Amino acid sequence: STGVVRMQPKAEELKFVTRNDGYVHIHPSSVNYQTRHFESPYLVYHEKIKTSRVFIRDCSMVSVYALVLLGGGQVHMQLQKGEFIIYLDDGWIRFVAASQQVGELVKELRCELDQLLQDKIKNPSMDLCMCPRGSQIISMIVKLVTTQ
């Protein structure tokens, strides 16, 4: 008479999708096994094993902005059905941008970060926090990721 209350899934029912293996589950020995709700639907993991089914271990939740800014591959943006879509990994991972301006800013920030890291590789003694460009980029990324 009071309605239905949505229940969190049991640990063994929680599953995620990978590009190559389809559904995977968090291994019972993982620290995150008993975690029944993640704020972000994305996890990164270190180890994937197959026993009775495919499991991941050593996993951590990752936010959307952290994935876009620090994930592998190029960041692209397209207009699809009136929405600006940011995509990674050849389109396998997609996000809807709040606006074209937000999408372009995130894409540009990622390009700046990639260039900054290339500069650091070329010049390992460069202090990223002391150079004006590096400190601005790092400050913007920290602010974006922590206030998401």
Side-chain angles (χ1 to χ4, degrees):
S1 67
T2 60
V4 178
V5 177
R6 184 180 170 116
M7 304 267 305
Q8 293 292 337
K10 295 177 183 168
E12 62 273 4
E13 296 172 338
L14 193 62
K15 56 188 173 184
F16 296 87
V17 180
T18 66
R19 186 175 192 170
N20 298 325
D21 296 300
Y23 289 110
V24 297
H25 300 265
I26 298 175
H27 195 274
S29 68
S30 176
V31 172
N32 284 325
Y33 181 68
Q34 292 299 325
T35 304
R36 295 168 46 182
H37 174 74
F38 295 93
E39 291 297 318
S40 170
Y42 301 101
L43 296 180
V44 293
Y45 62 89
H46 175 67
E47 184 177 28
K48 181 171 53 173
I49 59 171
K50 184 174 183 178
T51 55
S52 58
R53 53 188 172 179
V54 180
F55 290 99
I56 56 174
R57 284 199 283 212
D58 305 326
C59 61
S60 295
M61 183 199 73
V62 63
S63 70
V64 171
Y65 283 124
L67 188 59
V68 171
L69 294 171
L70 303 168
Q74 295 293 315
V75 176
H76 301 281
M77 192 171 72
Q78 275 186 337
L79 178 62
Q80 293 180 354
K81 299 179 183 176
E83 294 182 316
F84 292 96
I85 308 295
I86 298 172
Y87 63 96
L88 303 166
D89 200 16
D90 299 326
W92 193 76
I93 300 172
R94 297 170 180 249
F95 310 102
V96 176
S99 67
Q100 180 181 8
Q101 184 180 16
V102 169
E104 291 293 341
L105 287 171
V106 169
K107 185 178 169 186
E108 186 62 30
L109 186 57
R110 169 64 187 266
C111 289
E112 288 292 328
L113 176 61
D114 288 348
Q115 184 59 53
L116 184 65
L117 293 174
Q118 287 295 327
D119 294 346
K120 176 67 174 174
I121 290 168
K122 290 177 187 170
N123 183 7
S125 63
M126 182 173 87
D127 186 344
L128 296 179
C129 293
M130 296 306 290
C131 75
R133 182 172 160 263
S135 64
Q136 285 181 330
I137 293 168
I138 292 169
S139 175
M140 182 64 68
I141 290 170
V142 168
K143 187 180 290 185
L144 186 63
V145 171
T146 57
T147 61
Q148 178 179 6

